Amino acid sequence: MDYKDLEEERRKSWGKEKPYKGSNIIILGVGHSGTTILTEMIAQLGWDLNDGIDDTYLESPRVRDSNENFLCENSTGTIDGSFLLELTQPWVIKDPRFVFTLSQWSKVFQDKLSEMPLVIYLKRNKKDVLKSYKKRGEDSINYGFNQFKTTVSEAILWSLKQYEAWPGPKCMIDYEDIATSCELFKQPL
């Protein structure tokens, strides 16, 4: 789905209870790609952060814990997303672990929700991501969680594979276009 298609869907949903048809949103992107900024902007437009509101990086502890548990089990377990039914809708959630787990979540969403959330993939130049890691004094070589240790370059490839395989609505946004793209999510006056 490109910007024009997303804008058309948004316009169709005007006057409905939700700001966008399929309004729950998952932000997908590697760490240091701007996902926290995008999540905050979408939350300011009316999407609920639920239990992620008190987290520095706006990550839901329940989503993060579910992802970490799955990754700790060497990808042999399942993700229990029963808490999704408790979330105030429309919601926006993000977790850099989605780079490795989003395909598992698609099964959960299909089972628990009446509609698949929109996945927004935030794409940022690899050099800029690496600069952000360096600026914060963090390790960009051992990117990942538990046994999923990889490089940032490989994590970017993982995230693209997750995005391409997503069976629901999806949209790719360039980091440089965050502010402009958020206009698509505003409700009409």
Side-chain angles (χ1 to χ4, degrees):
M1 182 178 294
D2 64 16
Y3 299 137
K4 289 180 183 175
D5 293 337
L6 190 60
E7 175 66 10
E8 186 175 325
E9 285 294 316
R10 183 182 72 92
R11 289 183 188 277
K12 287 179 187 175
S13 71
W14 286 359
K16 296 182 180 177
E17 187 176 316
K18 295 181 179 180
Y20 170 79
K21 184 177 183 286
S23 64
N24 295 320
I25 296 174
I26 297 171
I27 306 295
L28 174 65
V30 298
H32 297 262
S33 64
T35 57
T36 302
I37 295 167
L38 179 58
T39 301
E40 184 172 18
M41 292 174 80
I42 291 174
Q44 288 175 0
L45 293 172
W47 275 258
D48 204 302
L49 292 168
N50 288 284
D51 61 342
I53 196 162
D54 294 326
D55 186 78
T56 304
Y57 300 109
L58 305 179
E59 296 168 10
S60 163
R62 292 186 284 184
V63 170
R64 183 177 49 229
D65 292 348
S66 295
N67 281 330
E68 285 193 0
N69 289 337
F70 177 77
L71 294 173
C72 284
E73 295 172 8
N74 296 318
S75 306
T76 58
T78 57
I79 292 175
D80 176 23
S82 56
F83 65 88
L84 292 169
L85 299 173
E86 302 166 13
L87 299 180
T88 302
Q89 295 191 30
W91 47 253
V92 58
I93 56 176
K94 60 138 319 233
D95 184 358
R97 293 155 195 85
F98 282 140
V99 166
F100 305 111
T101 65
L102 187 62
S103 59
Q104 295 300 312
W105 281 96
S106 69
K107 298 168 191 164
V108 174
F109 292 125
Q110 289 170 354
D111 290 344
K112 305 284 182 196
L113 302 176
S114 61
E115 57 191 13
M116 294 291 282
L118 170 69
V119 167
I120 299 176
Y121 177 66
L122 186 57
K123 186 173 79 171
R124 187 175 187 189
N125 181 295
K126 181 177 74 171
K127 289 179 183 177
D128 292 333
V129 171
L130 292 171
K131 280 183 200 176
S132 177
Y133 272 97
K134 187 175 181 178
K135 181 179 176 182
R136 291 191 200 171
E138 296 178 17
D139 185 3
S140 63
I141 303 300
N142 292 311
Y143 178 89
F145 311 91
N146 305 314
Q147 85 280 8
F148 285 89
K149 294 288 185 194
T150 186
T151 65
V152 168
S153 297
E154 290 168 338
I156 291 170
L157 292 175
W158 270 89
S159 63
L160 279 169
K161 287 179 186 177
Q162 295 284 349
Y163 174 77
E164 290 168 359
W166 183 250
K170 56 189 171 185
C171 178
M172 188 179 296
I173 295 175
D174 290 324
Y175 177 81
E176 294 77 15
D177 296 330
I178 288 177
T180 307
S181 299
C182 280
E183 291 294 314
L184 296 175
F185 298 98
K186 283 188 174 178
Q187 292 205 55
L189 299 174

